Amino acid sequence: NRDTGAITTLDGATGNVFGGQTTSPFDGAIPYAIHYSPTLDRLFVIIGEGDIPYRVIAYRPTLNGLVPAGTIDMPQDKPDAGGGIVVNPTTKHILVTHSKLNQVRIYAYDTNTNKFTLLRTRPTGPDPFMLDVNPVTNLVYVGLRQPNVNLGYLQRILDN
C-alpha cells in the first residue's frame, strides 16, 4: 500500500487480511510494485522513500508472514517511477524497469543465499514502466509511458 507503506498478506481464498502479517520494510518506505514468483517462492517488491524508488526487496512467504530474504539497491529512479517488476519463470531472472535510465535491469537471485546479482541492462524507449514476460519465448514486453517514434508505447526485449 503506497499510502501506508505496508505490505499485507491476504488469504488467497477469501481475500481477507491475515492478522499480524502486515510488514513495512523501514520507516518511510513506499512499495511501488510487487510480483510473486512461484518458481522462486519469493515476493519481490520495488521500494522507495518519498516518491523515488531505489531498492528491490525479496520476501519469503511463511505461515507466520513475510520474512525478508535479500535486498539490492538500484540507481535512484525519477519520481513516481518503479512500476515494473516481473520474474521470468523459465530463466528465473528478476526484471525491473528503471525509468530515469530508460532501461530494464536483469538480476539473478539465489534462493540459498538470498543474493541478487545484476546480470545486464537492456536499453528501452523513453520512460519504461510496466513489464510482462512470455516464458516460452523469453520475450519481455515493456510498456512505455512516453511514445517512441519507432516503438509506440510497447517494446520487446529478450531475456537470455
Side-chain angles (χ1 to χ4, degrees), residues 33-157:
I34 65 171
H35 179 82
Y36 175 72
S37 168
T39 306
L40 297 173
D41 191 31
R42 295 292 188 273
L43 177 72
F44 296 95
V45 184
I46 298 175
I47 296 289
E49 284 184 88
D51 60 356
I52 307 292
Y54 67 89
R55 178 176 291 160
V56 176
I57 300 179
Y59 289 94
R60 184 174 49 84
T62 71
L63 293 176
N64 296 318
L66 298 172
V67 175
T71 65
I72 189 154
D73 287 347
M74 304 180 298
Q76 286 190 344
D77 212 336
K78 64 185 187 180
D80 295 320
I85 186 166
V86 69
V87 176
N88 182 339
T90 304
T91 63
K92 299 181 184 174
H93 294 158
I94 297 95
L95 298 102
V96 182
T97 58
H98 196 289
S99 295
K100 186 176 182 181
L101 299 176
N102 295 326
Q103 64 183 210
V104 171
R105 302 174 70 79
I106 302 173
Y107 296 94
Y109 176 79
D110 186 323
T111 56
N112 295 313
T113 63
N114 298 327
K115 300 283 185 198
F116 289 87
T117 303
L118 179 63
L119 299 174
R120 68 191 64 82
T121 62
R122 296 272 193 239
T124 69
D127 209 2
F129 194 66
M130 300 303 292
L131 291 173
D132 204 357
V133 65
N134 179 333
V136 175
T137 63
N138 289 330
L139 282 174
V140 179
Y141 296 88
V142 183
L144 306 173
R145 287 196 286 188
Q146 295 181 33
N148 179 289
V149 174
N150 299 318
L151 303 172
Y153 286 97
L154 185 65
Q155 180 177 354
R156 294 181 307 176
I157 61 173

